[in-house]
Amino acid sequence: MASSSPPVHLFFLISFFAATWLPVESAYIAYNTSGGIVAGKLNVHLVPHTHDDVGWLKTIDQYFVGSNNSIQGACVQNVLDSIVEALVADKNRKFIYVEMAFFQRWWRQQSDVVKKVVRELIASGQLELINAGICMHDEAAVHYIDMIDQTTLGHQFVKQEFNQVPRIGWQIDPFGHSAVQAYLLSAEVGFDALYFSRIDYQDREKRKDTKSLEIVWRGSKTLGSSADIFTGIFPINYEPPPGDFYFEVNDKSPVVQDDPLLFDYNVQERVNDFVAAAVSQANITRTNHIMFTMGTDFKYQYANSWFRQMDKFIHYVNMDGRVNVLYSTPSIYTDAKYAANETWPLKLDDFFPYADRTNAYWTGYFTSRPALKGYVRVLSGYYLAARQLEFLMGRNSLGLTTDSLADALAIAQHHDAITGTEKQHVANDYAKRLAIGYAETEKLVGSSLACLTESVSYSQCDNSETKFEQCPLLNISYCPPSEVDLSHGKSLAVLVYNSLGWKRVDVIRLPVISESIVVTDYEGREIESQIFPITSAAVDLRNSYVTAYLGISPSVTPKFWLAFPVDVPSLGFTTYFISSRKLAGSKTAMSTQYSSQEIQNSNTLEIGQGNLKLQFATDEGMLFRYFNNRSLVETSINQSFCYYSGYEYDASGANPQASGAYVFRPNGTFPIAPDRQVPLTVMRGPILEEIHQQINPWIYQVGPIPTNDGIGKELATQIMTTMTTNKTFYTDSNGRDFIKRIRNYRTDWELQVNQPVAGNYYPINLGIYIEDDNTELSVLVDRSVGGSSLLDGQVELMLHRRLLHDDGRGVAEKLDEVVCVNDQCEGLMIQGKFYLRVDPSGEGAKWRRSTGQEIYSPLILAFSQQDSGSWTKSHVPTFSMADASYSLPDNVALVTLQALEDGSVLLRLAHLYEAGEDKELSMMAEVDLNKLFAGRKILKLSEMSLTANQARDEMEKKRLKWRVEGLASTTAPVRGGPVDPSKLVVELGPMEIRTFTINFDHMLPKINTEKKA
């Protein structure tokens, strides 16, 4: 293809040209750093930068202030102080900064004088804030809503303080790159380009050979070319090029010694080194522009040591004349690439999995620290609901905000946080911040629900008589509000809040101390309920972990679970009541419980109510058949478990790579047979039927994984069918699009298979599915995990990892999580949920999308004791923000509803389906805002970019449109049109997310305050 860059052979010839430098008398030298782009020459763009992890070996605050330096000498305060001084010293110098979590901390501490200087540096382009999220988020273990939220938080700060809109994505360190990052968190944000470093080592070598390190990435099949993003992949990493160009004070690279009266004068030598590095990179790059990333982790703590050397290189290399050097930024570089009018290779799908060398696939971190991953996911859904309530009450009206949780969640998306690749004390710090954020937000949620349910004026909300409690440890069977004695005429009001945009029917379960219980709705009608015993294993886990987490021992021990169905309106709540009064003909049923050994004359056990039936082989304790009467799907299916022994570090071996927090390198697969001495436990009732199975002593709840044999273990489960899937399976990208995967295959190069297990693992945040001509099997997850299909008809998911060796990627610590109670420590136990369904081929998308929303946004439960029968006389028992007759379409989700500081409201609506994913739901959807916001008048509606820092139409006008090689045209995507202000109906095409700011005439909802009789 045609290229505007000088030919390769010319670079080779001129690289040996050498000027002669004549020593002169020592004198002051005014280095000329003013050069810009020169046509017809190779232009080397020096991009000074620092990469500042928002926690990794040290906590975020330790990194910021420079403490705990015995682990790592790093102080971000020094970096930012020093950069400002260096930029002021020379107006030609430039610098980019990325992590707003640090920049915010630093900014708060600056004087007005310094702030004025910094604003001038930013306005002039000397200091450019790029990427500009709170952190540089991960791209594998994160949910798209969290990616949007943390980026929005950073972009809003940049807009409010500096009136700037970041142009460039800079994801230089995450360990692989997702399609959602390309089309959603880059193109839909308004970025003109995306730059990063980490791709598979085999892919990188191929791209060097074909000059395709710079590409146009089309991450969405549905949105096509409308969401293309120019993408640059660095030739090696995000550090300076080969040739010794590191200039921190204590770095070993030779400086430019240009004083002829001193020994070691080396100007010519250093110029030659620079030109050689430039020519080498130019030979694998299109156009006559290349970028040198001048910096790395926590550099520029004394910025002048870098800038002094770069000043000299610019001065002397430009005098030399073979290449042209300039201070630059990724924005300047991107504009130069665009001006070249080049055509670029087209990239589809994503950049997973990532390996940096043979036998070193970074696919372990998809699962590492599953408890932290689960905690982040739970609080993400809680934060979404809490912001809705904050909107309903008016921001700051209760003296509480969601800000603390927002900040903690944003930091937790960092690529060494949710990934599980940090030191243990740093993981503890992330969890602590999340807990503090939850505690404040829990108060807001409780107060908001109390205010919404009481028939009082809003001016009295801060003195609400209703006090709600919540149960953040319900996952370990601990819920003090429900574990109360109701035998003295009291009852328990259970308020159930639904943050989804459609009505929800579900079953909730609560630990209780008595079986003499009845459940009624707010109209006094008894609700059918079911009592079943809490297992001893669950009680043991509860007692141990409550002590570990809270420092107290539970005062009571519940004996039973209470389960009952709830019916909750969209974006609202319904109230139920639990009391001890036993009515004649009560609808509370005690579960029937028995073991599989008690079944006579049959080796088969069937459970399931309604249409769905599962059959188990009692002699083997194995699931073997799935049948759905409604869909007429019947398939053979079984679940099994295995562990991979973690490869140990062997310094003397040919390849010493160990399995660790980042890297998954199995050293053998060991199936785990069910313990036939422990029978299946069966519980039957009118609402739920359950089978409890203990596979072995450490697979019931998962863990503690034993390591007393000296072997680290990585536990996985397999679901096996007889489906013919031809090596093909599908995994989600950050909870949005599903991407086709083919075992032992890559679309962009011929894969050399050296790790047939780890090399076929992919990140899963929503789910994974397989299909053949007749059926499709889907498995959804409740947090990020790694998974694959290693055999036809099979799905494999990793559950937990406990390893005894560090994998040599910098954390210098083995992944061995423990929980300690009274100075007794044992390996971490994990409880989680997978959701499985088999559908006729082509019909599984609706279940995946709707159930996925319910998993992400569980019902919020709030409890308040009250005198029996008195609640409805003084409270509103049910409420919906939307019109009583309205709910969102089945293919639309309310992603964000948030009251902003300026009094406006941020609204995001997301279409849940890809084009062609479902024959009915992959269509244009409509949302009626008048009905969604019943009782409120919208004064102004403005469509914005994804992070709401610029008008959508302005963003589209500015976006660069890149040329691609070949016949790369696609059908224009279906997108919603402009919103008619007289109708206020929002259209959404498949996979479209639309963001608006709204101004209402008032913020408080109109609530029916008529007291119930």
Side-chain angles (χ1 to χ4, degrees):
M1 56 151 280
S3 173
S4 60
S5 58
V8 173
H9 65 270
L10 177 59
F11 280 140
F12 181 81
L13 291 173
I14 67 173
S15 67
F16 289 98
F17 173 84
T20 301
W21 296 93
L22 300 176
V24 295
E25 292 185 4
S26 178
Y28 169 76
I29 301 174
Y31 299 112
N32 182 2
T33 60
S34 63
I37 292 171
V38 175
K41 276 194 174 182
L42 174 60
N43 290 276
V44 183
H45 295 247
L46 298 186
V47 176
H49 78 104
T50 179
H51 174 60
D52 297 342
D53 288 303
V54 182
W56 179 40
L57 308 183
K58 305 198 298 187
T59 70
I60 178 176
D61 288 346
Q62 289 171 349
Y63 273 133
F64 180 66
V65 302
S67 62
N68 208 359
N69 281 339
S70 61
I71 293 178
Q72 184 181 11
C75 176
V76 176
Q77 283 184 118
N78 288 350
V79 172
L80 292 170
D81 287 344
S82 183
I83 285 167
V84 171
E85 294 177 3
L87 294 179
V88 169
D90 183 345
K91 66 179 182 180
N92 297 313
R93 292 172 174 174
K94 291 179 170 56
F95 197 85
I96 61 171
Y97 200 76
V98 174
E99 296 86 6
M100 292 304 103
F102 287 127
F103 202 87
Q104 281 181 331
R105 282 164 165 77
W106 179 81
W107 184 250
R108 289 195 301 263
Q109 299 176 358
Q110 302 311 303
S111 68
D112 290 342
V113 173
V114 172
K115 286 184 175 181
K116 181 176 183 294
V117 169
V118 172
R119 285 193 172 101
E120 291 171 352
L121 291 173
I122 291 175
S124 70
Q126 273 192 270
L127 176 59
E128 183 174 355
L129 304 178
I130 68 169
N131 218 33
I134 294 298
C135 67
M136 186 183 293
H137 57 229
D138 178 53
E139 298 182 35
V142 288
H143 194 276
Y144 77 94
I145 294 179
D146 291 325
M147 299 166 82
I148 294 171
D149 285 343
Q150 83 85 19
T151 307
T152 299
L153 205 58
H155 283 196
Q156 291 297 307
F157 165 74
V158 172
K159 182 68 173 179
Q160 291 163 10
E161 293 291 342
F162 311 108
N163 195 31
Q164 293 289 310
V165 175
R167 287 187 57 199
I168 301 295
W170 189 258
Q171 289 286 113
I172 60 175
D173 198 27
F175 326 128
H177 302 279
S178 73
V180 161
Q181 177 64 40
Y183 82 83
L184 189 62
L185 273 300
S186 297
E188 295 292 295
V189 165
F191 288 164
D192 286 321
L194 169 65
Y195 295 93
F196 53 74
S197 171
R198 298 188 188 275
I199 65 169
D200 188 279
Y201 70 102
Q202 296 182 38
D203 190 9
R204 189 188 305 276
E205 291 308 308
K206 168 74 177 300
R207 291 183 181 280
K208 286 181 179 179
D209 289 343
T210 58
K211 284 193 173 185
S212 57
L213 286 169
E214 294 177 323
I215 55 177
V216 171
W217 190 358
R218 185 167 297 165
S220 171
K221 301 187 299 291
T222 299
L223 298 180
S225 60
S226 72
D228 285 354
I229 186 76
F230 179 78
T231 303
I233 305 162
F234 302 145
I236 301 176
N237 51 36
Y238 55 83
E239 302 186 8
D244 278 335
F245 301 102
Y246 294 81
F247 301 115
E248 203 71 13
V249 170
N250 57 351
D251 281 335
K252 299 178 180 178
S253 296
V255 300
V256 178
Q257 205 295 81
D258 58 348
D259 186 339
L261 299 183
L262 303 180
F263 287 177
D264 302 323
Y265 183 90
N266 66 353
V267 171
Q268 184 62 65
E269 179 183 347
R270 290 267 64 197
V271 167
N272 289 343
D273 292 340
F274 189 97
V275 172
V279 169
S280 177
Q281 186 164 325
N283 285 332
I284 57 173
T285 308
R286 303 186 188 199
T287 81
N288 61 328
H289 295 274
I290 63 172
M291 182 195 300
F292 280 4
T293 50
M294 299 302 292
T296 183
D297 295 8
F298 299 100
K299 300 303 181 184
Y300 292 80
Q301 296 191 62
Y302 177 52
N304 199 46
S305 67
W306 283 85
F307 281 110
R308 178 188 293 119
Q309 300 307 313
M310 288 187 289
D311 288 351
K312 293 181 179 183
F313 275 113
I314 292 172
H315 180 78
Y316 290 117
V317 172
N318 287 345
M319 286 179 62
D320 172 88
R322 286 176 284 171
V323 301
N324 180 63
V325 193
L326 65 150
Y327 278 124
S328 188
T329 68
S331 294
I332 296 171
Y333 180 78
T334 300
D335 288 340
K337 287 289 184 176
Y338 184 75
N341 199 30
E342 178 68 86
T343 58
W344 303 95
L346 183 65
K347 164 68 179 175
L348 305 176
D349 56 66
D350 63 8
F351 288 92
F352 287 115
Y354 163 62
D356 60 351
R357 64 186 71 138
T358 304
N359 298 321
Y361 279 95
W362 296 39
T363 53
Y365 80 93
F366 300 160
T367 307
S368 295
R369 301 195 189 277
L372 179 62
K373 285 177 165 66
Y375 194 30
V376 169
R377 185 61 52 83
V378 166
L379 292 187
S380 177
Y382 190 81
Y383 175 54
L384 182 149
R387 283 182 290 174
Q388 293 177 4
L389 294 169
E390 189 176 30
F391 156 75
L392 287 170
M393 302 317 304
R395 182 175 170 86
N396 284 316
S397 64
L398 301 173
L400 300 164
T401 72
T402 58
D403 293 351
S404 179
L405 182 56
D407 186 63
L409 278 169
I411 291 169
Q413 309 312 315
H414 170 57
H415 61 269
D416 278 310
I418 195 169
T419 54
T421 55
E422 64 279 340
K423 282 186 177 291
Q424 183 63 55
H425 80 103
V426 181
N428 296 343
D429 184 73
Y430 292 131
K432 181 178 180 180
R433 292 174 186 277
L434 291 167
I436 292 171
Y438 170 81
E440 180 172 337
T441 305
E442 182 187 38
K443 295 175 185 176
L444 180 145
V445 168
S447 298
S448 298
L449 292 175
C451 191
L452 287 169
T453 194
E454 286 188 354
S455 301
V456 298
S457 67
Y458 287 101
S459 62
Q460 299 173 3
C461 272
D462 56 348
N463 294 317
S464 172
E465 294 181 1
T466 304
K467 305 299 179 185
F468 278 117
E469 296 181 79
Q470 298 168 60
C471 295
L473 295 181
L474 187 56
N475 66 311
I476 56 171
S477 316
Y478 183 67
C479 183
S482 70
E483 300 166 15
V484 293
D485 184 358
L486 299 175
S487 62
H488 301 292
K490 295 283 187 180
S491 66
L492 184 67
V494 183
L495 187 147
V496 186
Y497 181 79
N498 172 26
S499 61
L500 295 180
W502 53 76
K503 186 179 83 166
R504 184 164 178 183
V505 177
D506 209 335
V507 174
I508 64 174
R509 48 198 292 169
L510 305 169
V512 295
I513 62 174
S514 171
E515 60 185 295
S516 299
I517 279 179
V518 66
V519 181
T520 57
D521 66 14
Y522 63 86
E523 294 183 333
R525 295 172 299 198
E526 184 178 359
I527 303 298
E528 186 174 43
S529 60
Q530 180 178 337
I531 297 287
F532 50 99
I534 296 179
T535 65
S536 59
V539 171
D540 290 344
L541 179 72
R542 158 200 162 95
N543 292 340
S544 175
Y545 277 49
V546 166
T547 303
Y549 294 159
L550 303 182
I552 61 172
S553 297
S555 58
V556 298
T557 299
K559 298 179 181 179
F560 307 101
W561 284 108
L562 168 67
F564 60 94
V566 295
D567 190 332
V568 193
S570 64
L571 302 169
F573 63 77
T574 295
T575 313
Y576 293 86
F577 303 92
I578 303 172
S579 63
S580 63
R581 63 189 195 278
K582 199 76 171 179
L583 303 178
S586 173
K587 296 182 179 179
T588 303
M590 175 62 73
S591 298
T592 303
Q593 177 177 336
Y594 57 92
S595 75
S596 57
Q597 292 177 340
E598 300 174 52
I599 300 175
Q600 302 294 324
N601 303 320
S602 177
N603 292 326
T604 300
L605 170 64
E606 182 176 278
I607 68 163
Q609 300 173 327
N611 296 309
L612 180 61
K613 307 293 181 184
L614 299 177
Q615 290 185 341
F616 291 78
T618 56
D619 55 343
E620 298 179 353
M622 298 286 288
L623 171 68
F624 74 89
R625 182 174 176 268
Y626 176 107
F627 182 70
N628 189 317
N629 287 314
R630 175 179 293 178
S631 64
L632 300 180
V633 167
E634 180 176 3
T635 187
S636 297
I637 187 171
N638 65 71
Q639 182 183 20
S640 60
F641 295 84
C642 75
Y643 72 83
Y644 297 101
S645 61
Y647 207 95
E648 299 181 7
Y649 176 76
D650 179 10
S652 62
N655 192 327
Q657 180 62 58
S659 204
Y662 300 87
V663 174
F664 174 32
R665 189 187 182 189
N667 188 21
T669 307
F670 298 87
I672 301 173
D675 186 346
R676 298 189 183 184
Q677 301 303 311
V678 182
L680 301 175
T681 299
V682 184
M683 297 184 188
R684 296 188 186 273
I687 297 172
L688 297 174
E689 292 194 357
E690 296 184 351
I691 281 191
H692 293 236
Q693 184 178 22
Q694 180 170 324
I695 304 299
N696 67 12
W698 50 280
I699 305 180
Y700 186 59
Q701 287 98 10
V702 178
I705 296 177
T707 56
N708 52 1
D709 56 1
I711 298 174
K713 299 176 180 65
E714 308 180 63
L715 179 66
T717 186
Q718 297 86 22
I719 298 163
M720 192 70 196
T721 72
T722 57
M723 295 167 63
T724 303
T725 54
N726 297 318
K727 298 184 178 182
T728 302
F729 56 105
Y730 300 82
T731 64
D732 70 279
S733 179
N734 304 116
R736 286 295 279 169
D737 313 63
F738 277 89
I739 297 180
K740 182 178 181 179
R741 314 295 190 184
I742 300 175
R743 192 164 60 250
N744 294 330
Y745 176 80
R746 302 291 187 267
T747 57
D748 295 325
W749 80 96
E750 185 175 345
L751 177 68
Q752 301 299 311
V753 178
N754 53 63
Q755 286 290 314
V757 176
N760 284 299
Y761 256 60
Y762 291 87
I764 299 169
N765 284 280
L766 170 59
I768 179 173
Y769 73 92
I770 54 176
E771 63 181 357
D772 63 12
D773 293 339
N774 301 310
T775 57
E776 57 185 81
L777 177 142
S778 307
V779 183
L780 305 184
V781 300
D782 66 353
R783 71 199 71 192
S784 168
V785 300
S788 186
S789 176
L790 299 176
L791 300 169
D792 276 5
Q794 178 229 51
V795 166
E796 174 170 307
L797 298 167
M798 187 171 286
L799 306 175
H800 196 4
R801 314 178 72 223
R802 190 180 184 191
L803 297 163
L804 304 181
H805 298 272
D806 175 62
D807 54 15
R809 294 306 183 277
V811 76
E813 194 173 271
K814 61 185 178 181
L815 182 65
D816 185 11
E817 295 183 279
V818 297
V819 173
C820 300
V821 179
N822 299 325
D823 297 325
Q824 297 294 316
C825 300
E826 63 178 10
L828 176 69
M829 287 190 281
I830 290 296
Q831 289 190 127
K833 294 179 181 178
F834 293 153
Y835 303 78
L836 180 147
R837 178 163 164 141
V838 183
D839 287 287
S841 182
E843 298 183 15
K846 184 173 183 179
W847 179 80
R848 286 191 294 271
R849 295 298 184 179
S850 59
T851 304
Q853 286 299 114
E854 294 179 355
I855 295 169
Y856 179 81
S857 293
L859 296 167
I860 290 180
L861 308 180
F863 306 87
S864 182
Q865 281 196 57
Q866 52 106 36
D867 294 327
S868 295
S870 65
W871 185 273
T872 55
K873 296 177 181 178
S874 58
H875 293 78
V876 176
T878 186
F879 162 77
S880 175
M881 181 184 75
D883 187 276
S885 63
Y886 187 73
S887 63
L888 290 181
D890 290 343
N891 51 3
V892 174
L894 177 61
V895 171
T896 306
L897 181 59
Q898 180 178 359
L900 301 177
E901 291 184 5
D902 64 1
S904 64
V905 173
L906 180 63
L907 171 70
R908 284 194 191 91
L909 297 165
H911 198 298
L912 295 174
Y913 289 78
E914 298 176 66
E917 186 177 5
D918 184 272
K919 58 186 177 182
E920 297 177 351
L921 295 171
S922 293
M923 304 294 177
M924 182 76 79
E926 294 185 348
V927 175
D928 188 329
L929 298 185
N930 285 318
K931 293 182 179 179
L932 180 63
F933 297 107
R936 295 175 179 79
K937 182 179 179 181
I938 295 176
L939 299 178
K940 182 180 180 183
L941 179 75
S942 304
E943 184 162 13
M944 308 296 288
S945 64
L946 185 69
T947 56
N949 63 349
Q950 57 184 320
R952 175 82 193 197
D953 57 353
E954 293 178 4
M955 181 194 83
E956 292 293 349
K957 290 176 184 176
K958 293 187 297 183
R959 280 195 62 206
L960 303 180
K961 305 298 191 294
W962 299 85
R963 300 171 61 210
V964 298
E965 292 178 345
L967 299 175
S969 60
T970 59
T971 304
V974 177
R975 287 186 180 265
V979 179
D980 184 340
S982 67
K983 297 180 179 179
L984 293 175
V985 174
V986 177
E987 298 176 330
L988 294 111
M991 277 290 108
E992 188 174 17
I993 296 179
R994 299 185 71 175
T995 303
F996 301 91
T997 56
I998 304 177
N999 293 96
F1000 291 97
D1001 62 344
H1002 61 87
M1003 286 296 299
L1004 299 179
K1006 295 180 180 179
I1007 300 177
N1008 179 8
T1009 59
E1010 180 182 352
K1011 297 178 181 179
K1012 298 289 181 177

